[in-house]
Amino acid sequence: MLQHHHIEDLTSLDNFRIANEYFSLFYIPEFLTEEEEIDMLNKINSNKWISLKNRRLQQIGGKIDSAGDISLSHNIPDWLRSFGERLNNIYFGNDMEEEENEEENYKEELNENTDEKIQFFPDSVNHYLINEYKPGQGIFPHEDGNRYEPFVAILSLESPIILEFFTKRKEIEKDGKYLIEKRKSIGGVLLEKRSLLLFSEDLYTSYLHGIEPIFEDDRPIDSILNYENTLFFFDEENEESEENNNNIDVSAKKIYKKKREKRISITCRIVKT
């Protein structure tokens, strides 16, 4: 289990890595303060929304057409440009453990000098997609496509939700026949309000992600990849400690269950130029 770090301690992104086989997955709880969240929501809601069947959205930095092409625009408001600069100041540190060869190789591929800090985003963020989801709304499992660099950050506002990652459908041979293997979930990530999720590399290019269109999240905690990284876990851990001291059975607390509320997210990416 990783220690609980506050955003003020963000000297290294390594402190926020989700402990699982997918190296390029990071979760930062409380990336914003409550005051920053309120101010950001006010600015977002003062802009014009585009209404879709399953959600509302705003595209800032460029519009995406039906073919997936993007016409870049440098008309990014100051508040969002400032937020982008904050994202560009997120670094890997030099505290990766030597025995984790895969992580060391990944770091060396990014920068031959492993004593230097390495930015998560290789260039300035230049595209922001703001989505509003109401209870019962979601988005089909998808990939963001090759028009973007394989690095993404998702800021969550107002309420929590679970983002699911899936394998892609693939053709397999069985008994001399070729079949399409169904996509499978590899787990969900609990996105609490004011949190920031970052992922890249294979998790971006080789897997799908989506949000189930339901009114309530109800699932085993062992299917949530970042459960032990969340504020919900730390609150529950303290509560269970008190209940154990009072001889209360806590065996039923292995389920995450919460009704959906309206949520706004900002997906931050780099359009290839």
Side-chain angles (χ1 to χ4, degrees):
M1 183 184 72
L2 299 180
Q3 293 182 352
H4 180 212
H5 295 269
H6 189 268
I7 186 57
E8 292 177 355
D9 302 323
L10 185 49
T11 55
S12 169
L13 187 57
D14 308 311
N15 295 329
F16 300 91
R17 185 184 298 110
I18 295 176
N20 61 78
E21 62 184 287
Y22 306 100
F23 166 56
S24 60
L25 187 59
F26 305 86
Y27 179 77
I28 306 173
E30 295 289 289
F31 188 75
L32 299 183
T33 65
E34 290 185 30
E35 293 76 14
E36 288 173 326
E37 179 187 35
I38 292 170
D39 183 59
M40 190 171 283
L41 286 169
N42 287 336
K43 289 181 168 65
I44 289 171
N45 288 316
S46 67
N47 292 335
K48 184 178 179 180
W49 289 93
I50 300 170
S51 294
L52 303 179
K53 183 178 179 179
N54 60 342
R55 67 190 192 282
R56 296 198 302 172
L57 63 80
Q58 298 176 26
Q59 299 178 60
I60 302 177
K63 293 185 178 181
I64 309 170
D65 64 23
S66 58
D69 292 326
I70 304 167
S71 55
L72 274 178
S73 164
H74 298 290
N75 188 23
I76 297 174
D78 290 342
W79 68 269
L80 198 49
R81 194 178 299 277
S82 177
F83 178 68
E85 291 173 357
R86 188 169 171 181
L87 295 178
N88 289 325
N89 284 320
I90 295 178
Y91 293 87
F92 294 101
N94 1 346
D95 57 349
M96 291 183 172
E97 297 183 18
E98 294 294 333
E99 66 271 14
E100 296 178 338
N101 293 328
E102 180 180 353
E103 297 179 6
E104 285 298 320
N105 291 339
Y106 176 78
K107 185 175 181 181
E108 288 173 5
E109 287 174 7
L110 289 174
N111 191 323
E112 292 182 0
N113 186 350
T114 57
D115 292 329
E116 292 184 5
K117 288 184 177 180
I118 304 164
Q119 284 180 291
F120 176 79
F121 284 105
D123 205 343
S124 296
V125 174
N126 60 10
H127 192 268
Y128 303 85
L129 186 63
I130 303 176
N131 285 298
E132 179 194 75
Y133 296 94
K134 294 180 179 179
Q137 294 182 331
I139 186 168
F140 196 74
H142 65 282
E143 56 183 330
D144 292 343
N146 60 12
R147 285 301 314 273
Y148 299 101
E149 298 289 352
F151 302 86
V152 61
I154 301 174
L155 179 72
S156 295
L157 304 170
E158 288 201 80
S159 69
I161 209 166
I162 291 178
L163 178 74
E164 199 86 19
F165 286 93
F166 300 87
T167 59
K168 294 181 180 180
R169 290 191 179 101
K170 61 182 180 180
E171 189 177 65
I172 58 173
E173 183 181 1
K174 186 177 181 180
D175 299 329
K177 297 180 179 180
Y178 287 94
L179 306 172
I180 300 298
E181 187 178 55
K182 294 181 179 180
R183 61 173 176 265
K184 298 177 182 177
S185 170
I186 62 171
V189 177
L190 174 57
L191 306 181
E192 299 169 292
K193 61 182 179 179
R194 298 188 294 276
S195 70
L196 188 73
L197 179 75
L198 303 103
F199 59 96
S200 63
E201 301 303 322
D202 283 349
L203 196 55
Y204 181 94
T205 57
S206 302
Y207 295 86
L208 308 176
H209 55 277
I211 295 173
E212 189 176 3
I214 54 179
F215 289 90
E216 182 178 55
D217 287 299
D218 185 355
R219 60 190 296 159
I221 61 173
D222 59 8
S223 70
I224 300 176
L225 300 174
N226 67 325
Y227 183 71
E228 293 188 354
N229 304 70
T230 63
L231 295 180
F232 181 87
F233 169 79
F234 284 93
D235 291 342
E236 184 182 63
E237 189 178 50
N238 292 334
E239 182 182 334
E240 286 192 4
S241 178
E242 290 181 10
E243 292 179 348
N244 279 326
N245 290 336
N246 293 317
N247 296 319
I248 297 175
D249 181 18
V250 295
S251 59
K253 288 183 172 289
K254 301 305 179 186
I255 299 292
Y256 173 80
K257 186 174 183 177
K258 186 171 178 60
K259 290 187 180 297
R260 292 267 181 95
E261 300 175 48
K262 182 168 73 73
R263 168 185 175 264
I264 287 177
S265 66
I266 306 179
T267 300
C268 314
R269 291 170 293 204
I270 303 171
V271 176
K272 294 178 181 178
T273 55

